[in-house]
Amino acid sequence: MQPHSNIFLATCTSRQVLHLIADQWTALVMYALEDKDSTKRFSQLLTQIDGISKKMLSQTLRDMERNGLVQRVVYPAVPPHVEYSLTPLGQTLIEPITALRKWAEEHLDEVKEARIKHNQTEHISIQEQVASLVQQREQH
Amino acid sequence: MQPHSNIFLATCTSRQVLHLIADQWTALVMYALEDKDSTKRFSQLLTQIDGISKKMLSQTLRDMERNGLVQRVVYPAVPPHVEYSLTPLGQTLIEPITALRKWAEEHLDEVKEARIKHNQTEHISIQEQVASLVQQREQH
DNA sequence: CCGCATCCGGAGCGATACTG
DNA sequence: CAGTATCGCTCCGGATGCGG
């Protein structure tokens, strides 16, 4: 067995590749750029992806560029103008990652239901009670 | 447009669902349990998934159970015996998540190559140049 | 054997201010 | 406009110990 084919090994390379996508924002940036031939500016992405901070968007884009998923084109002008688009490699990732999105949308209700059912049958620890209260408060 | 269908909104539910999978370990646990009718014990998973700690495995399994992805069965005995398996809902997630794994394995080399190329062509910012100069001076 | 509680160091992330 | 630098805090995650 080749070393990278056993995804359960910590040193496995495909696990590292998987790790690229397993963060909060990469998938969302992919969705924002998935339209073919669509390039977007930094501020466009910032607006479209609700909740992301400048810092995280910058960081995510840099990582994605580093991994060959997005292309960054700078138009030297004042004010600066930078456009982001998916590379061919990035485009190949759209399909599997969109499947994930579809799954999320389709099974959303089942997950919600499972949570409710779980909460009912479960003994809630004091810590979790506090945590959920804090969460509720934060949503205001 | 329904509120949960716009994944770019922070309040969007499908984004929360997506978040379930976007962590380090959930995907790997899925892979470990993907064989149909295969149930595994805690310690089996701990051994199979290289690099995971007891705490994280426990936490991941609890979250997955909470979201209806895995089923936990306790056999009251001494020593305790607990078996984990995928729920029907969890089984539906196998396909999209396996697509992701396949992508990782197939495009592994391209990502690696992109990284190397990126490191070579990288422009070093003025700040980094200054920083390295300062560092050199400080070493005297 | 399974897994939770606790502690603690360090990474992650947001907010703000600044530059070209 | 498109970022980077810095600070401050939170929370992740590992190590350990305990309890069933």
Side-chain angles (χ1 to χ4, degrees):
Chain A
M1 189 183 286
Q2 292 170 43
H4 68 261
S5 61
N6 181 5
I7 204 163
F8 297 115
L9 280 176
T11 52
C12 164
T13 325
S14 58
R15 190 145 128 189
Q16 292 170 24
V17 173
L18 210 63
H19 196 309
L20 307 181
I21 328 164
D23 76 291
Q24 188 78 263
W25 300 113
T26 302
L28 288 172
V29 173
M30 292 287 306
Y31 300 145
L33 292 174
E34 76 180 336
D35 293 337
K36 219 175 179 177
D37 306 325
S38 100
T39 66
K40 297 222 168 134
R41 305 184 57 171
F42 187 85
S43 49
Q44 280 183 288
L45 293 170
L46 201 60
T47 307
Q48 184 174 7
I49 305 172
D50 187 35
I52 195 170
S53 67
K54 254 162 82 170
K55 180 180 176 179
M56 287 319 293
L57 179 57
S58 172
Q59 203 171 100
T60 304
L61 284 169
R62 246 187 297 128
D63 286 345
M64 290 174 78
E65 190 194 357
R66 179 167 184 276
N67 296 314
L69 294 179
V70 304
Q71 183 164 30
R72 181 174 179 271
V73 178
V74 182
Y75 297 91
V78 178
H81 188 108
V82 184
E83 302 220 318
Y84 293 92
S85 58
L86 290 184
T87 62
L89 177 60
Q91 308 244 352
T92 64
L93 182 54
I94 283 185
E95 197 184 314
I97 220 174
T98 298
L100 217 58
R101 177 188 182 172
K102 251 190 189 154
W103 185 91
E105 288 167 353
E106 282 170 6
H107 298 274
L108 183 152
D109 291 333
E110 296 174 61
V111 172
K112 223 187 291 184
E113 200 178 325
R115 280 188 190 169
I116 294 170
K117 191 182 275 182
H118 186 74
N119 283 341
Q120 287 171 349
T121 58
E122 184 195 24
H123 297 281
I124 302 178
S125 71
I126 294 172
Q127 284 80 2
E128 283 171 318
Q129 286 182 32
V130 172
S132 78
L133 284 175
V134 168
Q135 226 175 16
Q136 284 173 28
R137 179 163 301 176
E138 280 173 351
Q139 285 174 357
H140 294 184
Chain B
M1 188 183 288
Q2 294 170 43
H4 68 261
S5 61
N6 181 5
I7 202 164
F8 297 115
L9 280 177
T11 53
C12 164
T13 325
S14 58
R15 191 145 126 187
Q16 293 171 21
V17 173
L18 209 64
H19 197 315
L20 307 180
I21 328 166
D23 76 291
Q24 189 78 261
W25 301 113
T26 302
L28 288 172
V29 174
M30 291 287 306
Y31 299 143
L33 293 174
E34 77 180 334
D35 292 337
K36 219 174 178 176
D37 306 325
S38 99
T39 66
K40 297 221 169 135
R41 304 187 55 172
F42 187 86
S43 50
Q44 280 183 289
L45 292 170
L46 199 61
T47 307
Q48 183 173 8
I49 305 173
D50 188 35
I52 196 171
S53 66
K54 254 162 79 170
K55 179 181 177 179
M56 289 319 294
L57 179 57
S58 172
Q59 205 171 97
T60 304
L61 285 169
R62 245 187 300 130
D63 287 345
M64 292 175 76
E65 188 193 0
R66 178 167 185 277
N67 296 313
L69 295 178
V70 304
Q71 182 165 31
R72 181 174 181 271
V73 179
V74 183
Y75 297 90
V78 177
H81 188 109
V82 184
E83 301 220 319
Y84 294 93
S85 58
L86 291 184
T87 62
L89 177 60
Q91 308 244 351
T92 66
L93 182 53
I94 283 186
E95 196 183 316
I97 220 175
T98 299
L100 216 58
R101 176 188 184 172
K102 249 188 190 158
W103 185 91
E105 287 168 354
E106 281 171 6
H107 298 274
L108 183 151
D109 290 332
E110 296 173 61
V111 172
K112 223 187 292 185
E113 201 178 325
R115 282 187 188 169
I116 294 169
K117 192 183 272 181
H118 185 74
N119 284 341
Q120 288 170 348
T121 60
E122 194 176 25
H123 296 279
I124 303 177
S125 72
I126 294 173
Q127 283 80 2
E128 285 171 315
Q129 289 180 31
V130 171
S132 76
L133 283 175
V134 168
Q135 226 174 15
Q136 285 172 29
R137 179 163 301 177
E138 279 172 350
Q139 287 174 354
H140 293 186

